[in-house]
Amino acid sequence: MNTFSFDGLAIEALGVTARSASDWLTGPTVERGGTPLLGRHGIVPSTARRGAVRRMVLGLTVPVPSLAARATTLRAVRDAIIGGARRVRSADAPGRFIVCDVRGWEVEPIAQRSFTEQTRAAVVNVALYDHFGVSFADEPRVLVLSTTPTALRLGTAVSTGIVYLSGTWAEGASRTLTYRSNAGITYGEMTLTAPTGSGGLGTNDVLEIDLHRQYITKVASSGARTDAAAWRASGAWFGFDPADGDALADRWPTLALSTGAGVVIYREAFEE
Amino acid sequence: MSLAPQFGAPMGAPNLSVLSRALLDFDAADLVWSPDTGAIVDASGHEGTFTRGATLASVLDANGATYTAQHAQIAFEQRTMNGVEALCVRMGTADRFVFPTNVRPQAMCGLVEIVETGARTSANATLFALRNDAASGAGVWLDTSGTYYRFNYSDGSTTRTATLTSGQPVSGNAVQFVWDITDLGVLTLRQYINAGAPTSATAAALALPGSWASGAAWRINRRGSSANPAQGAFRRARVLAGPLDFDRLLARR
């Protein structure tokens, strides 16, 4: 049985072993819309995905030194595992985690098992509710952007990220972020224009584009933040889709910036 | 700024708050900008501030390319630590994070994980601290003698220092500092270079004070509001309540 950890704490460190994990490898139920293209092959998949909350049940064996110590031992394990938004890792997916609401705590009654065995080991079932439906890489990645398209190594699910643009930017001037497939086809393009009266971007200011929360924020060199949603002149919000690359061939979609300096930070996501 | 897992697959899922139970959980991969307060929020929920006030050049990306971080831009840097790709916050001598806290003196243990960039040879350069703006009064801090790193604890009048006597990280080394202070006020520092065997130092017991200095805050890369800046590529700084627990300290959240 795989080892599991909750917020980085392996269950073995609690003296606990996993005995079952239902639906662990089933993967989430994901719905993703698409739009057929008349007169062409295929569809245009939607960036947005919808997934039902995924429920898994983890069976644990909790050694109990004596019947008298049963409640105390179980309480210690429960305290280490139960909670909202715990990061759960499994040995079969190294370098990744899922975020689970760990709410269920069901101890099998003694009557179901022999008294002797029950005093040695309690059997506990824990329910994990995965709201995101994807697993995430432990480490986000940061990449410099330029006019040369930068490859975005992805997992198997759509990722977004945060783009930081810098360099002197006059009012009325525009910069374009272009997201392309590995084949060089433009699938996302966002043009940002510094509005009149915004002051543009000073030498040491930064424009922060949060592709997930869909915020654009001007961060002045003083640290002062102002909403810059009005800077988005054209183009829709986009995400980074592994379907736009060829994962097995290690070929990825790209992101490019028309002018100025830029950095993107993102985290790979996986549909399993 | 929103750092993962708040960013990732764009789904309609609730934006769950991922909070650590640690007394401090500063993790480069889990810093979140809060849109309601404008504060930087660490993984344990502390609302803090980041300041540099200058540019920081030659910050590394995942491909080894470099960029210049602007004045108020956190310099996320990709490093390899012990063979693993790791996201760090690169900090120069002008960078600092401050996370106000009301934590009480207690037995606690901590981890500071960095890639060395040259702080060790700058005497008194402070990587991590729980001290007030004036860097005075009761508190703890991790700094360097100029030769070796050391961990310090003050009850407000007396200071105990555990100074390593071997192990000198050089630029590019992955360094883990593990420290603990017991109920009796015994201080121990361990240093791991590139995941090698630890070197350690201990200081004599000094009873814990009733409180830390007024205004004491968790500080990264600084001892007080301006005193003794250091530098480095910081991956994590964690503090847990209770006696030393390697499993919990070293585990990824």
Side-chain angles (χ1 to χ4, degrees):
Chain A
M1 175 54 66
N2 283 323
T3 184
F4 289 86
S5 70
F6 291 80
D7 282 356
L9 180 64
I11 56 174
E12 286 78 3
L14 300 165
V16 173
T17 54
R19 54 189 293 140
S20 63
S22 73
D23 292 332
W24 181 259
L25 292 175
T26 304
T29 302
V30 176
E31 294 177 3
R32 187 173 177 187
T35 305
L37 284 174
L38 292 175
R40 300 216 181 182
H41 295 297
I43 60 168
V44 177
S46 166
T47 299
R49 304 155 64 256
R50 298 188 67 83
V53 175
R54 175 185 173 207
R55 182 178 187 271
M56 293 156 284
V57 176
L58 189 61
L60 303 172
T61 301
V62 183
V64 178
S66 68
L67 196 57
R70 186 166 175 266
T72 305
T73 303
L74 288 173
R75 192 170 64 192
V77 175
R78 179 191 168 104
D79 181 63
I81 291 178
I82 297 296
R86 312 303 298 270
R87 293 192 175 195
V88 182
R89 290 179 173 82
S90 162
D92 64 1
R96 297 190 220 161
F97 63 89
I98 58 174
V99 180
C100 289
D101 201 1
V102 188
R103 282 182 287 180
W105 178 261
E106 178 190 82
V107 182
E108 284 191 11
I110 290 176
Q112 285 187 5
R113 307 173 62 83
S114 75
F115 178 80
T116 304
E117 184 183 356
Q118 190 65 44
T119 58
R120 284 188 282 111
V123 175
V124 176
N125 294 312
V126 177
L128 313 177
Y129 296 89
D130 174 9
H131 292 266
F132 288 95
V134 295
S135 60
F136 298 94
D138 278 338
E139 300 290 342
R141 306 189 83 226
V142 59
L143 292 169
V144 172
L145 300 178
S146 69
T147 52
T148 303
T150 300
L152 303 163
R153 190 187 77 193
L154 300 172
T156 56
V158 176
S159 292
T160 55
I162 304 163
V163 175
Y164 300 91
L165 302 182
S166 58
T168 307
W169 190 337
E171 290 182 5
S174 297
R175 293 180 190 181
T176 301
L177 274 174
T178 305
Y179 170 73
R180 297 184 179 94
S181 72
N182 176 50
I185 299 166
T186 298
Y187 283 163
E189 194 168 71
M190 185 186 294
T191 297
L192 301 129
T193 302
T196 302
S198 68
L201 217 56
T203 309
N204 299 121
D205 301 341
V206 173
L207 192 70
E208 184 179 293
I209 303 154
D210 189 328
L211 293 172
H212 178 58
R213 298 196 292 190
Q214 301 189 346
Y215 291 156
I216 302 177
T217 310
K218 177 181 172 181
V219 186
S221 59
S222 65
R225 290 176 171 271
T226 51
D227 176 37
W231 287 49
R232 186 163 68 94
S234 66
W237 294 94
F238 56 82
F240 313 143
D241 191 337
D244 299 332
D246 185 347
L248 292 179
D250 197 27
R251 297 288 183 269
W252 304 105
T254 62
L255 191 62
L257 175 64
S258 62
T259 184
V263 173
V264 61
I265 179 170
Y266 68 101
R267 194 190 287 261
E268 294 154 273
F270 300 83
E271 283 187 354
E272 70 273 3
Chain B
M1 182 182 69
S2 159
L3 282 185
Q6 279 78 0
F7 72 68
M11 296 180 63
N15 202 7
L16 296 175
S17 158
V18 183
L19 285 184
S20 161
R21 296 182 186 181
L23 298 179
L24 172 73
D25 208 332
F26 173 90
D27 188 327
D30 286 295
L31 292 171
V32 176
W33 164 61
S34 174
D36 54 347
T37 64
I40 300 294
V41 184
D42 70 9
S44 45
H46 295 91
E47 292 198 358
T49 53
F50 165 77
T51 48
R52 182 189 302 113
T55 57
L56 184 65
S58 303
V59 183
L60 290 164
D61 83 347
N63 295 326
T66 60
Y67 71 98
T68 297
Q70 301 303 321
H71 286 213
Q73 181 184 7
I74 297 172
F76 291 107
E77 181 167 83
Q78 209 88 38
R79 289 280 192 159
T80 300
M81 296 185 77
N82 304 324
V84 177
E85 194 175 75
L87 185 78
C88 299
V89 171
R90 168 83 177 285
M91 302 183 83
T93 52
D95 290 56
R96 64 178 183 274
F97 280 100
V98 181
F99 295 99
T101 180
N102 287 309
V103 67
R104 291 180 57 79
Q106 58 190 294
M108 54 189 184
C109 56
L111 165 74
V112 177
E113 202 170 67
I114 66 165
V115 174
E116 172 76 29
T117 61
R120 179 183 58 79
T121 55
S122 178
N124 303 313
T126 303
L127 296 172
F128 165 82
L130 172 61
R131 300 216 82 182
N132 62 13
D133 284 348
S136 63
V140 298
W141 63 100
L142 171 64
D143 73 347
T144 169
S145 67
T147 306
Y148 293 102
Y149 282 110
R150 60 191 181 187
F151 204 85
N152 310 267
Y153 151 51
S154 172
D155 67 357
S157 56
T158 303
T159 298
R160 293 280 192 260
T161 300
T163 306
L164 298 169
T165 55
S166 66
Q168 295 176 307
V170 296
S171 285
N173 284 167
V175 190
Q176 290 174 316
F177 301 98
V178 174
W179 57 271
D180 71 297
I181 184 165
T182 68
D183 280 330
L184 299 176
V186 176
L187 184 66
T188 304
L189 171 66
R190 299 161 192 79
Q191 174 187 265
Y192 300 75
I193 301 175
N194 294 335
T199 54
S200 64
T202 300
L206 176 66
L208 292 172
S211 62
W212 299 118
S214 176
W218 301 116
R219 299 174 193 274
I220 308 295
N221 206 41
R222 200 65 60 105
R223 187 180 306 179
S225 59
S226 60
N228 306 117
Q231 59 170 300
F234 288 75
R235 188 190 195 201
R236 291 190 290 177
R238 308 188 71 200
V239 182
L240 303 180
L244 181 62
D245 186 331
F246 278 104
D247 287 333
R248 288 176 187 259
L249 267 179
L250 297 177
R252 285 291 287 165
R253 287 185 54 250

